[in-house]
Amino acid sequence: MFFLGIDIGSTASKCVVVNSEGEIVGKGLYGSGAGTNGPKTAIGAALAEAGILIEDIAYSCATGYGRNLLDWADMTLSELSCHAKGAGMLFPTAKTVIDIGGQDAKVLRIGEGGRLENFAMNDKCAAGTGRFLDVMASVFQCKVSDLQDYDAQSTKVASISSTCTVFAESEVISKLAGGEKIADIVAGIHESVAERTAGLAKRVGIGPEVAMTGGVALNEGLRDRLARKIGHPILVSRLAQFNGALGAALTARETYMKKAPALDVDEPRREGPVCCEGCAGDAR
Ligand code: ADP
């Protein structure tokens, strides 16, 4: 028997298939999210890796920004609960989980078995999220995955004072024009994201064990700077970006096993005030 979890994010679609023991048997990732063919492609890849067909799925759970777009899923659940659940399996000793995705940054306190106890979230503004890093990478005309290599080559930190993505982008462009090295500017960008994330983490309590998930967890340079700021080493997994989808798959399995009714725990969506006058919401 197989269970499917799909995380339809703002920038990427991630899918995980687990078996009746809760072991991962397939996963798929596609670099586009809600409103695209990304979810279908990620699901196809996960099923192919598991060597099964969609008919073999006993129960499914959708999470993420675009979870309500998948009308055939048996249930939906908030990203927060799914990330907590996934982290409970990937990092059984972690009490604090820092998740930075394409559109938001969140810090979770988790209890036994990946139960969500508390959280703090930045979802009003692109600052401190993957989107901020994507915009900066486009200024340097490199891939976001190259930023860590630049950081490794830095010899000093060229500080970025603006947190707003639009203002920070202008600041980066003028630093480049002023002859600063890309590597040092990237170090400054990572410092700025790390500072903001550490502030979020302090609101919910840090440690004793800390893990990082979401696509931005793959950025070693940023992770190291964040670890220094919070004073704790950060656990990471090669499955970091799949954490929400894993939590969804485990939830689908548990729900099916308990034969509980499907539920949707909704969290506040990204409506309402914009972050500041600088971006007027466009950077989100
Ligand atoms: P979402 O669920 O909102 O789509 P993800 O958790 O999938 O977000 O993370 C997407 C973000 O992760 C991207 O915006 C990008 O900044 C970052 N990212 C993705 N892949 C990498 C990588 N290989 N190295 C560094 N950062 C990455």
Side-chain angles (χ1 to χ4, degrees):
M1 208 179 284
F2 298 96
F3 303 91
L4 182 143
I6 172 92
D7 176 3
I8 307 177
S10 58
T11 57
S13 305
K14 288 79 61 178
C15 181
V16 167
V17 175
V18 298
N19 62 17
S20 47
E21 276 75 50
E23 298 157 341
I24 299 171
V25 292
K27 56 190 179 345
L29 182 148
Y30 195 74
S32 65
T36 70
N37 258 343
K40 200 174 160 194
T41 313
I43 290 168
L47 293 173
E49 192 173 292
I52 58 170
L53 301 171
I54 193 76
E55 293 78 26
D56 299 319
I57 298 295
Y59 214 71
S60 58
C61 174
T63 189
Y65 178 67
R67 63 183 178 274
N68 292 321
L69 297 172
L70 202 73
D71 53 7
W72 54 262
D74 295 303
M75 64 181 289
T76 59
L77 189 63
S78 81
E79 292 140 271
L80 290 166
S81 299
C82 286
H83 276 285
K85 174 63 83 185
M89 175 169 161
L90 287 185
F91 313 102
T93 56
K95 291 277 166 276
T96 304
V97 178
I98 298 171
D99 179 86
I100 311 185
Q103 190 165 251
D104 60 31
K106 38 194 178 277
V107 181
L108 319 178
R109 278 304 283 179
I110 58 170
E112 209 52 38
R115 190 171 35 85
L116 181 66
E117 288 181 343
N118 192 11
F119 71 94
M121 188 166 182
N122 158 34
D123 67 347
K124 291 275 184 273
C125 170
T129 70
R131 174 82 182 123
F132 181 84
L133 297 166
D134 296 342
V135 167
M136 299 309 158
S138 72
V139 173
F140 304 127
Q141 297 183 329
C142 72
K143 290 190 280 194
V144 72
S145 53
D146 294 335
L147 292 180
Q148 60 181 352
D149 299 330
Y150 277 117
D151 193 342
Q153 291 159 25
S154 65
T155 49
K156 65 181 175 70
V157 173
S159 294
I160 306 294
S161 56
S162 316
T163 47
C164 169
T165 307
V166 174
F167 291 151
E169 186 182 9
S170 308
E171 203 179 332
V172 164
I173 291 168
S174 58
K175 280 194 189 300
L176 277 176
E180 296 268 18
K181 276 174 26 192
I182 293 180
D184 296 340
I185 304 174
V186 170
I189 290 166
H190 285 171
E191 277 289 312
S192 145
V193 174
E195 183 70 38
R196 208 177 159 92
T197 311
L200 205 60
K202 280 174 192 146
R203 279 167 43 194
V204 287
I206 304 169
E209 299 256 5
V210 182
M212 189 167 174
T213 62
V216 176
L218 302 171
N219 182 333
E220 195 180 345
L222 194 152
R223 229 170 46 223
D224 288 350
R225 290 180 187 280
L226 179 56
R228 283 199 288 276
K229 284 206 190 294
I230 62 173
H232 284 270
I234 295 180
L235 305 170
V236 75
S237 158
R238 64 185 175 82
L239 297 176
Q241 202 172 357
F242 290 96
N243 186 52
L246 171 62
L250 295 174
T251 303
R253 174 183 167 271
E254 268 184 28
T255 306
Y256 183 86
M257 298 294 185
K258 285 185 203 154
K259 300 210 183 301
L263 77 167
D264 184 3
V265 184
D266 257 312
E267 67 197 38
R269 297 300 338 154
R270 296 160 184 82
E271 290 159 5
V274 294
C275 58
C276 68
E277 289 171 9
C279 78
D282 293 344
R284 284 193 285 155

